[in-house]
């Protein structure tokens, strides 16, 4: 890749990192601020309340996917990416200044809810705009490698959040963290978003988008997307297993190790932090591999592994007892998940023509995340509260099994020419050759 291609990937990834830093910080610091917004009571119940608000953000993602996907297809990828980071900055500021239950009663919960709704709007469009931009902005023979940086940046955002959590855990007392320390990462997120906003204002549009002259007034519309409804449903189905597994082993993992496996919060955080660093490094390697052997082999490997290994991995994690066994099992799970995360962005972007690509990725992906990814943590806590925690392990495995069927029947997308895709060409992608 030339210097200009690397520059585009860097700017797109940097913004994605800040977006997902803010998104994941809510989850990773929930154990500290859950009691600040809800009355004293069962800690699991408090976490379920904060997880419920976390899930609400996911249900705004389809709205964000439609709105910002439309902007991306009609106004350009740059316009959509700039708007998403603006919304995310506003949501981070709101959480940082939200009043606690002791100060404003449930008024603080309302502020928290509004902030999560804004985050949902933002991330609903960010994924598609970033996936589309990274896929279009590079050499066709390296699309898998380039698009893998989406999950590098997403994971980097979480690593920064967990790293900051580790620093705060070692510099502030537990009381200070529960009192005011949890606000610090949201202030950092707002500042980071301001920097990325400046970078994105000066980013270059992709050549694929600028060269496209099809679609006219129907660019980025639901009517245009409906012509590719088979591909849209394919995105939902292929996302189902991957998003549940990803959120299980990233955002929920720290809570699971702390609340179910009995590890201290500090040890659980360190396990997640270390595992995610390795996970981020795996993404470009797997993305490059997909450029050589195709997307389907990696997707199928993920689905088979997740279907048959989830129950034993989660069962052993619950009894890990210390740092090293927990880290080893977490790494095994994330290696399996890499088969999905490293290439899912380019696979979805490769399914649609330019005039509806951002919307085609955004809306169905956001719907799948609202139904499965955003609710994964809440479902896990529901099973735990009901005294049947192992039921969640089977739920994750079942979702992966459904996606496996899709991976086995879809066609390969690696060699498609994004500049010449037509409705008739994309309609053949849902059946394996």
């Amino acid at each position: 890749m030339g210097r200009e291609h690397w520059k585009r990937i860097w700017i797109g990834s940097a913004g994605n990192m800040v977006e997902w830093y803010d998104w994941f910080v809510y989850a990773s610091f929930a154990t500290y601020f859950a009691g600040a917004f809800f009355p004293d009571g069962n800690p699991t119940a408090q976490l379920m309340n904060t997880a419920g608000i976390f899930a609400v953000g996911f249900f705004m993602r389809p709205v964000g996917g439609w709105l910002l996907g439309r902007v991306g297809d009609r106004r350009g990828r740059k316009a959509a990416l700039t708007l998403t980071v603006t919304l995310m900055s506003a949501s981070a500021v709101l959480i940082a200044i939200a009043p606690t239950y002791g100060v404003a009663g449930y008024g603080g919960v309302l502020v928290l809810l509004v902030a999560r709704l804004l985050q949902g709007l933002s991330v609903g469009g960010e994924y598609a705009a970033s996936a589309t931009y990274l896929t279009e902005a590079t050499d066709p023979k390296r699309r898998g490698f380039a698009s893998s940086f989406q999950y590098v940046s997403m994971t980097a955002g979480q690593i920064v959040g967990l790293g900051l959590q580790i620093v705060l855990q070692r510099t502030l007392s537990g009381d200070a963290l529960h009192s005011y320390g949890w606000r610090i990462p949201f202030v950092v997120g707002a500042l980071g978003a301001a920097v990325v906003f400046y970078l994105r204002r000066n980013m270059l549009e992709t050549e694929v988008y600028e060269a496209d002259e099809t679609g006219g007034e129907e660019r980025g519309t639901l009517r245009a997307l409906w012509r590719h409804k088979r591909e849209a449903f394919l995105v939902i189905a292929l996302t189902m297993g991957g998003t549940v597994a990803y959120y299980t082993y990233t955002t929920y993992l720290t809570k699971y190790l702390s609340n179910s496996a009995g590890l201290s919060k500090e040890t659980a955080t360190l396990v997640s932090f270390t595992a995610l660093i390795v996970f981020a490094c795996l993404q470009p390697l797997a993305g490059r591999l997909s450029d050589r052997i195709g997307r389907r082999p990696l997707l199928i490997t993920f689905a088979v592994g997740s279907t048959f290994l989830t129950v034993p991995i989660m069962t052993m994690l619950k009894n890990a007892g210390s740092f090293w066994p927990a880290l080893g099992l977490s790494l095994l799970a994330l290696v399996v998940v890499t088969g999905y995360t490293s290439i899912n962005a380019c696979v979805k972007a490769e399914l649609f023509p330019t005039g509806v690509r951002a919307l085609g990725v955004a809306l169905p992906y956001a719907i799948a995340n609202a139904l499965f990814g955003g609710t994964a943590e809440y479902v896990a806590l529901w099973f735990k509260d009901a005294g049947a925690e192992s039921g969640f392990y089977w739920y994750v495995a079942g979702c992966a099994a459904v996606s496996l069927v899709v991976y086995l029947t879809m066609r390969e997308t690696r060699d498609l020419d994004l500049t010449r895709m037509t409705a008739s060409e994309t309609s053949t992608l849902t059946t394996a050759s």
Side-chain angles (χ1 to χ4, degrees), residues 390-406:
S390 62
F392 177 67
Y393 315 159
W394 290 100
Y395 169 77
V396 176
C399 290
V402 172
S403 288
L404 174 59
V405 175
V406 178

Side-chain angles (χ1 to χ4, degrees), residues 82-136:
T82 303
L83 183 54
T84 59
V85 78
T86 303
L87 292 173
M88 186 60 80
S89 178
S91 66
V93 171
L94 282 176
I95 297 177
I97 65 174
T100 63
Y101 180 82
V103 173
Y106 285 108
V109 176
L110 180 61
V111 174
L112 196 64
L113 179 61
V114 170
R116 287 297 297 172
L117 293 177
L118 288 177
Q119 284 188 337
L121 280 173
S122 176
V123 177
E126 169 65 25
Y127 174 88
S130 178
T132 301
Y133 188 86
L134 290 172
T135 302
E136 291 180 348

Side-chain angles (χ1 to χ4, degrees), residues 255-309:
K255 298 184 184 67
Y256 181 73
L257 292 176
S258 177
N259 294 337
S260 297
L263 274 64
S264 67
K265 289 181 180 179
E266 291 76 13
T267 300
T269 301
L270 188 59
V271 168
S272 294
F273 180 79
T274 307
L276 286 172
I277 290 177
V278 177
F279 178 65
C281 294
L282 290 174
Q283 303 309 300
L285 299 178
R288 190 71 185 99
L289 179 63
S290 80
D291 288 327
R292 294 179 178 273
I293 67 173
R295 321 298 189 210
R296 289 180 68 243
L298 272 71
L299 292 172
I300 292 171
T301 300
F302 150 71
V304 170
S306 191
T307 299
F308 294 103
L309 294 179

